[in-house]
Amino acid sequence: MEFGVDEAGKGPVLGSMFAAAVQAPREALPDGIDDSKRLSDTRREELADRLRGDDRISVGIAEITPERIDAGNMNDLTVAAHAEALAEVAEDGDAGLCDAGDVDADRFASRVADRLDAEVSLGAEHRADESDELVGAASILAKSTRERHVATLAERFGDVGSGYPSDPTTRTFLREYVAETGALPDCARRSWSTCEDVLAAAEQSALDEF
């Protein structure tokens, strides 16, 4: 059987990164599969629901939590995410692609394969989510899972925005949370410079008030 693997959520300052692996016959994939970044939110979720609901399609999901992110490095963790998702569906003799998470695509594929128990033929390509339907399907599911995760954070904390450092809503949430509690929320990637900046600004503000 063939498979594809991709991840979502490398860059946010809030929440987990997720990888998805999709193992399926290509004819089982719904029409319209594409890189999740090129789909509307509504279309992405429609396709994600169809992928999840088709018994011919096997899906593996891996979550890399903020705690793991703060304790590791993103190169190693991206490899781990792909391998952990793929391990849920891969069987001996399978073949497929990862969306390369390294400037050296062959090295990335080799590192992922080394973590698997199953004997598979594994390649990696840059922008494979645009060129390969199975990787595109994995991209959709990884992004959908990440967005559901952000929605659960919003249920806990209120509006947290997208979770990306460039999002003013996310930055405002972090500033206000630290101002109110004196600490970062447990969903924050504490090693990110955004968090360090927020803590430093709060400390300076406290000194100024003193």
Side-chain angles (χ1 to χ4, degrees):
M1 191 78 75
E2 291 185 277
F3 60 78
V5 193
D6 199 6
E7 88 289 324
K10 271 188 185 179
V13 66
L14 298 180
S16 300
M17 174 174 70
F18 293 87
V22 173
Q23 180 210 53
R26 290 183 182 270
E27 61 269 20
L29 298 176
D31 292 338
I33 294 291
D34 199 353
D35 173 12
S36 64
K37 295 184 290 295
R38 304 200 295 197
L39 298 169
S40 69
D41 292 350
T42 299
R43 182 59 175 155
R44 182 193 66 235
E45 292 307 311
E46 289 174 352
L47 289 168
D49 287 343
R50 291 181 64 183
L51 290 164
R52 292 185 180 106
D54 192 323
D55 291 340
R56 298 170 296 172
I57 299 172
S58 297
V59 175
I61 299 290
E63 178 178 5
I64 307 297
T65 64
E67 291 79 9
R68 287 182 69 182
I69 290 169
D70 288 334
N73 70 74
M74 290 306 293
N75 288 334
D76 291 344
L77 291 169
T78 304
V79 170
H82 280 237
E84 290 170 21
L86 185 53
E88 294 187 11
V89 299
E91 300 174 343
D92 289 343
D94 284 353
L97 281 175
C98 292
D99 190 67
D102 187 330
V103 293
D104 186 329
D106 290 339
R107 177 174 61 194
F108 185 79
S110 178
R111 293 185 68 198
V112 173
D114 285 346
R115 288 174 172 258
L116 299 175
D117 292 329
E119 294 292 331
V120 302
S121 176
L122 176 62
E125 295 178 4
H126 296 112
R127 303 177 75 172
D129 49 359
E130 298 178 9
S131 61
D132 185 275
E133 284 186 320
L134 283 164
V135 181
S139 168
I140 288 167
L141 287 166
K143 178 65 172 175
S144 174
T145 304
R146 163 72 192 175
E147 290 305 305
R148 291 183 177 191
H149 174 63
V150 173
T152 66
L153 297 181
E155 290 174 1
R156 289 181 59 199
F157 297 107
D159 191 359
V160 299
S162 65
Y164 280 85
S166 59
D167 186 337
T169 302
T170 296
R171 298 181 73 91
T172 296
F173 160 69
L174 282 170
R175 285 195 301 269
E176 292 180 350
Y177 190 94
V178 170
E180 291 174 7
T181 68
L184 291 164
D186 59 11
C187 62
R189 301 180 185 181
R190 298 168 185 272
S191 56
W192 256 228
S193 61
T194 306
C195 286
E196 294 172 354
D197 292 346
V198 167
L199 289 173
E203 182 178 357
Q204 184 60 51
S205 177
L207 289 172
D208 291 344
E209 291 177 4
F210 180 78

